[in-house]
Amino acid sequence: MAAERGTDEMRDRVVLGEFGVRNVHTTDFPGNYPGYEDAWDQRRFEEVPTMAVEKVFVYNNTSIVQDEILAHRLGLIPILADPRLFEYRNQGDEEGTEIDTLQFQLKIKCSRNPRAAKESSDPNELYFNHKVYSKHMTWVPLGNQTELFPDADFRPVHDDILIALLRPGQEIDVLMHCVKGIGKDHAKFSPVATASYRLLPDITLLQPIEDEAAEVLQKCFSPGVIEIQNIKGKKVARVANARLDTFSREVFRHEGLKNLVRLARVRNHYIFSVESTGILPPDVLVSEAIKILMGKCQRFLNELDSVPME
């Protein structure tokens, strides 16, 4: 019963929220012991699956980019597809099916612009399709995928990833197979760009700071950390949101302020930041990583239960 109360208390303390940056979420673990950062590092997300290019079938490539380099570049392009909709491909299966494979085609050819000015030297004016972007990758449904995913919009996460440069007469014609995998096997399957943690900042004003000194103090910290209030005709500084501080320690460069402020960190309050590559929302990544961690814990408990007691 005590363990259940502890679990419920932890669930109440954990806070998941987004703070100003697209595709970046933070999770708070207040009141926990230091071992929690070991359970929550980037390795937890290496086992959250995604879809990525695994096979590249090159039908024609007359660009300056070699076939193997082109395949490598295509493999690292994040694909906007929910991996939970697909199964892992069976080992040795070269063809793939509608339930374990996404197929994309990249077919583009560079040509001259007949209406370009003769004196122009700008490739953007001289040529058509001289830049190959990820937006040129088109989804080619396999089997009955159009029926399985009627509202699907499978595509690269970003449309402006440069793949290659072409000149008139050069072309690329390739077919790609995307499969489900985890970052533990290859970095192309990693769903996160960065996953890090820090301790919650703790800023204390040791005495009232007013007027001009309050304005100087406000400029020493990140925007939103220090707020200036008007109290009885005086500008008075107060700590509004210490969480936003980046610990630049700029305040210690000012002789008149460095002894009026105490900077510290809350030793048992961890803030974990997760930046998604855009394949899945960061809050979904955290939830999926928690499920994986819970599954590992359950398997460990099952192993303990299976050991005969003497």
Side-chain angles (χ1 to χ4, degrees):
M1 185 65 73
E4 291 181 2
R5 285 199 301 269
T7 302
D8 292 338
E9 182 183 353
M10 184 180 298
R11 286 173 177 167
D12 291 338
R13 290 202 305 261
V14 174
V15 180
L16 179 65
E18 186 172 1
F19 289 88
V21 182
R22 186 167 63 97
N23 278 339
V24 177
H25 269 248
T26 61
T27 308
D28 283 31
F29 286 92
N32 291 317
Y33 62 90
Y36 271 87
E37 77 267 17
D38 292 328
W40 277 99
D41 55 16
Q42 191 160 3
R43 287 173 293 179
R44 294 288 76 78
F45 299 95
E46 289 179 351
E47 298 181 43
V48 177
T50 63
M51 302 292 288
V53 174
E54 178 72 8
K55 299 286 185 181
V56 178
F57 304 93
V58 181
Y59 294 102
N60 194 10
N61 176 26
T62 56
S63 72
I64 196 173
V65 183
Q66 297 94 333
D67 292 353
E68 59 272 21
I69 302 299
L70 177 63
H72 183 269
R73 291 178 68 84
L74 293 172
L76 292 177
I77 295 176
I79 303 299
L80 188 61
D82 192 336
R84 295 170 293 182
L85 301 175
F86 298 89
E87 302 292 337
Y88 287 99
R89 181 189 280 194
N90 295 326
Q91 195 169 11
D93 185 1
E94 296 294 334
E95 296 297 328
T97 65
E98 60 270 14
I99 63 171
D100 60 26
T101 303
L102 276 177
Q103 185 173 256
F104 286 87
Q105 185 180 41
L106 176 60
K107 189 173 184 179
I108 188 170
K109 184 175 182 178
C110 179
S111 60
R112 293 187 181 275
N113 180 9
R115 298 184 178 180
K118 292 183 178 180
E119 65 276 5
S120 176
S121 60
D122 184 1
N124 294 318
E125 296 180 6
L126 292 174
Y127 314 126
F128 292 128
N129 296 328
H130 76 289
K131 289 184 179 181
V132 183
Y133 288 107
S134 52
K135 66 181 179 182
H136 296 123
M137 294 170 56
T138 56
W139 173 45
V140 180
L142 277 174
N144 64 340
Q145 284 186 337
T146 52
E147 299 174 4
L148 289 175
F149 314 111
D151 300 323
D153 182 25
F154 301 127
R155 57 180 175 81
V157 173
H158 305 287
D159 292 335
D160 57 350
I161 299 176
L162 184 64
I163 299 174
L165 294 177
L166 302 179
R167 285 299 179 262
Q170 294 181 343
E171 63 179 306
I172 294 177
D173 184 4
V174 299
L175 198 66
M176 294 157 276
H177 281 184
C178 301
V179 301
K180 186 176 180 178
I182 59 175
K184 192 174 182 180
D185 294 333
H186 196 285
K188 66 184 178 183
F189 292 111
S190 178
V192 297
T194 57
S196 60
Y197 73 91
R198 64 189 178 102
L199 291 171
L200 179 69
D202 181 21
I203 303 173
T204 305
L205 303 184
L206 302 179
Q207 68 182 58
I209 301 177
E210 303 173 346
D211 298 328
E212 185 178 347
E215 294 179 351
V216 174
L217 179 70
Q218 187 181 45
K219 295 177 181 178
C220 291
F221 292 90
S222 303
V225 175
I226 300 297
E227 180 183 71
I228 296 180
Q229 295 179 321
N230 195 324
I231 300 178
K232 296 181 179 180
K234 291 185 177 181
K235 297 179 180 179
V236 180
R238 64 175 290 270
V239 179
N241 191 353
R243 177 197 190 92
L244 301 177
D245 185 38
T246 58
F247 262 79
S248 66
R249 302 173 67 86
E250 174 70 18
V251 67
F252 293 126
R253 299 180 59 185
H254 299 268
E255 290 293 332
L257 295 175
K258 66 179 183 179
N259 295 323
L260 305 180
V261 181
R262 184 179 65 211
L263 301 182
R265 297 181 188 271
V266 181
R267 295 298 176 183
N268 61 350
H269 189 136
Y270 295 90
I271 302 174
F272 290 85
S273 297
V274 178
E275 180 184 358
S276 170
T277 57
I279 297 174
L280 289 173
D283 55 334
V284 174
L285 289 179
V286 173
S287 300
E288 292 298 310
I290 290 175
K291 292 177 183 177
I292 293 172
L293 184 59
M294 290 173 62
K296 287 188 173 184
C297 294
Q298 188 59 53
R299 286 195 295 272
F300 178 68
L301 293 175
N302 293 340
E303 289 289 334
L304 292 179
D305 292 338
S306 64
V307 176
M309 301 296 292
E310 296 182 358

